Amino acid sequence: MEDHATTGANDDGFGATSTADDVLAGIDLSGRTVVVTGGYSGLGLAATRSLARAGALVIVPARRPDAARRKLAGVKGAEVDELDLADLDSVRMFAERFRRGHDTLDILIANAGVMACPETRMGPGWEAQFATNHLGHYALTNLLWPALTAAGRARVVAVASGYNPDWSIRWDDVRFERGYDKWAAYAQSKLANILFARHLDRVGRAHGVHAFSVNPGWILTSLQRHLTIGEMVAAGWVDSDGNPAPGLFRTPEQGAASVVWAATSPLLDDHGGDYCADCRISRDGPEDGDEAARLWALSARLTGLDVAA
C-alpha cells in the first residue's frame, strides 16, 4: 500500500507521515455534523478525536454502543448511537433517529469494516464482508440522503484499502456461495468501496454531494482480529512475538490523515469520485468503465434503496 502514484493537483504539503491533526490544523468545523461508522477504534477513533477537536459534532454509530461510549469518554463533541451495518432494519432505525435530531449531515465517513473473517452469512444470506463493508454503507448513505443534500456541500468518504489490479467483483456469485475465499471476499468488498464512491459522486454532484474513497495505508488495529499470528508472520507483517515489521505500519493518527483530508480539504472542492492515498488523489485506482454503475444497480436490488432512481 506504499509508494502510491499520486497527482500533484492537490499538493498542500501533507503526505504519508501526516496525522489527522496536521490535516485539520487551521480548519474550523464548528457547526458541522459528521457521522463516522466504526469511529471508536483504530483509525476511526483517531478520526473522531481529530474531527471533534476541530469543532465538529461527531456521531459514532456502533454495533457495541457501550464499548463505544467507554472508548469515547472524555471526547467533547462525540456522541454514540446504535447501528449494525449488516442489519438493514438497524440501519433504517439509526437513519430515522439521526434525521429526527439533525436537519443536515455535512460529512459521512464510511469507516467500519471487517477483514478476512471466517465464512459468515448475514441478513438474507449476504456474505459478511460485502454486507458490512459495502452494502450497509450503501444503505446508510441512501437513508441519510435528505440530510446530506440539505447540507449544501456534503462529502462522503469510503475507507477502502490499497488497490490491486487483480481485485474483482464476483458478479455471478457475489455472495461467495460457490466456494468461500476470505481474501477474495475482502478484496471484493474493498473494490466495492472504491466503485461506490465513484458512482455516488455521479449521483450526488448535482445535489452538492461529493464522494471519495481512501486507502489509509497499513495500520495494525482490531481489523486484523480474525488473523492468527502465524498468518501475519507468513505475510511478513509481524515477527513470531507479534512485533510489527519495522517501517511497515502507520499509526492510527497517520492512517486517519487521508480520511479527514478527503472529508475536509478545500483543495478537493472541485473534485469528486477520486481514489485517494497519502493525502493526495491517487492514480492507482481502478479504471472502472461501467462497473461502478453496475455495482450501484446490484446494491439497489439487494437493499431495495436507490436515491438515483
Side-chain angles (χ1 to χ4, degrees), residues 38-39 49 72 87 120 193-194 234 256:
R49 286 172 169 163
L72 293 168
D87 181 343
T120 307
N193 293 152
I194 299 171

Side-chain angles (χ1 to χ4, degrees), residues 10 12 14 23-24 27 107 153 155 212 258-271 279:
N10 301 295
D12 50 13
F14 300 123
V23 169
L24 291 173
I27 293 180
I107 298 168
R153 295 183 66 87
R155 291 191 192 177
F212 302 88
S258 290
V259 176
V260 301
W261 180 81
T264 65
S265 174
L267 295 181
L268 293 179
D269 284 349
D270 297 325
H271 292 268
C279 302

Side-chain angles (χ1 to χ4, degrees), residues 95-113:
E96 289 172 4
R97 288 192 302 273
F98 179 89
R99 290 175 57 194
R100 283 199 300 267
H102 308 277
D103 294 328
T104 61
L105 175 58
D106 299 281
I107 298 168
L108 169 58
I109 297 178
N111 165 75

Side-chain angles (χ1 to χ4, degrees), residues 3 8 27 83 86 116 125 128 144 151 158 161 167 178 205 220 233 238 240 242 255 258 262 266 293 307:
D3 302 323
I27 293 180
L83 170 67
L144 292 177
S161 185
W167 288 1
R178 298 197 299 271
R205 63 182 59 167
L220 201 58
V233 169
V238 300
S240 57
S258 290
V307 294

